[in-house]
Amino acid sequence: MEKLISNNFKEEVIMVLVLFFLGILVLLISVIILIIVSTLHIQIKNLSVSNMKPKNKAKYAIIISLYLGNKIKWIWFNLNDKRMKKMYSKIQLEKLDFQKLKKDFKMKDLKQLPKLKPKISYLNLDANLGVIDPTATSFLVAIIATIISLLLPYLATDLKEKNYIYNIKPLYYNQNLYKVNVDCIIEIKMVHIINVIYYILIKKGRKKN
């Protein structure tokens, strides 16, 4: 009788463990599928970069989120100016081996970046640029404005929504000066990110072997 009870108890424990591991497996598969079908949103808010005095010390934030169908946000992480400073300090302390990074990632890997197929759903760019030569300043501003106007139709999710503003203005002070303020939202499908990561980290490694 005791052996029968003991055997039944063991079977129940085994069943519970099997169900537990099956539940974890189903959960992991569900999370992986959710990530693959999601879209990565990178929202840059109130970012200002300048070498002019006084420098703008406005608070900025970079919000990284995962959306389902571009409507349901289910994961997000906020990188504000304080967190970014901590990350920068940590990178300096750890002294990253940039020589090793150069060996692992070569210039030809940059050819994979267009496969990410990034999209811009919102853009508010205000840039002031100047170099020592006034003529060069005029050409620089014109070239940058032209490049943006050419790329935007391919990167914008919908130009009809009027969510795209950019002003590139010259600074004629005979100095190398810049002041850039940007707010934007960049969207990238996770499946494209996974494809690029697969090529760089796995497929390229097989070729070396």
Side-chain angles (χ1 to χ4, degrees):
M1 188 69 177
E2 289 181 358
K3 288 183 179 180
L4 182 62
I5 294 172
S6 178
N7 290 333
N8 289 337
F9 178 74
K10 287 180 180 179
E11 289 178 1
E12 289 177 1
V13 170
I14 292 170
M15 282 296 297
V16 169
L17 289 174
V18 169
L19 290 173
F20 176 75
F21 286 114
L22 279 175
I24 291 175
L25 183 62
V26 170
L27 180 63
L28 285 173
I29 293 172
S30 301
V31 171
I32 290 169
I33 293 172
L34 281 174
I35 291 173
I36 291 172
V37 301
S38 294
T39 302
L40 177 69
H41 281 224
I42 303 172
Q43 183 178 5
I44 300 172
K45 298 175 66 176
N46 199 31
L47 180 62
S48 180
V49 182
S50 173
N51 68 342
M52 300 172 64
K53 296 181 181 180
K55 292 183 179 180
N56 190 356
K57 295 183 179 180
K59 294 182 178 180
Y60 65 90
I62 300 174
I63 303 170
I64 301 171
S65 313
L66 283 182
Y67 278 78
L68 285 174
N70 282 334
K71 293 181 179 179
I72 303 172
K73 182 167 68 173
W74 65 286
I75 292 179
W76 63 92
F77 184 71
N78 188 356
L79 288 172
N80 54 31
D81 54 335
K82 293 181 179 178
R83 287 180 177 175
M84 290 294 286
K85 286 178 182 177
K86 287 181 180 178
M87 289 175 64
Y88 179 72
S89 299
K90 188 176 180 181
I91 289 172
Q92 284 187 320
L93 289 172
E94 291 178 351
K95 295 181 179 180
L96 293 178
D97 190 351
F98 290 103
Q99 294 298 324
K100 185 179 179 182
L101 287 174
K102 287 181 181 179
K103 291 180 181 179
D104 292 338
F105 299 97
K106 298 180 180 179
M107 289 299 295
K108 64 180 181 180
D109 293 331
L110 296 177
K111 295 179 182 179
Q112 299 299 315
L113 294 182
K115 293 183 180 179
L116 291 174
K117 298 179 182 180
K119 293 292 182 180
I120 299 174
S121 58
Y122 176 78
L123 176 66
N124 188 351
L125 173 64
D126 184 35
N128 298 268
L129 305 169
V131 294
I132 296 174
D133 186 357
T135 305
T137 297
S138 299
F139 276 110
L140 178 65
V141 169
I143 289 170
I144 292 174
T146 302
I147 291 172
I148 293 173
S149 65
L150 291 174
L151 290 178
L152 199 53
Y154 298 98
L155 297 176
T157 54
D158 190 355
L159 285 174
K160 295 178 181 178
E161 294 183 1
K162 297 181 180 179
N163 288 333
Y164 307 92
I165 301 170
Y166 62 94
N167 294 308
I168 314 297
K169 294 172 284 188
L171 294 173
Y172 297 111
Y173 293 109
N174 298 327
Q175 297 180 52
N176 293 322
L177 299 172
Y178 62 87
K179 182 180 180 182
V180 180
N181 298 299
V182 62
D183 288 83
C184 69
I185 300 175
I186 302 169
E187 301 176 4
I188 308 173
K189 292 187 180 296
M190 286 301 299
V191 66
H192 297 154
I193 295 175
I194 292 168
N195 285 337
V196 172
I197 291 173
Y198 169 78
Y199 175 83
I200 293 175
L201 298 183
I202 300 176
K203 193 174 180 181
K204 192 179 76 169
R206 287 178 181 174
K207 285 181 181 178
K208 285 183 179 180
N209 292 333

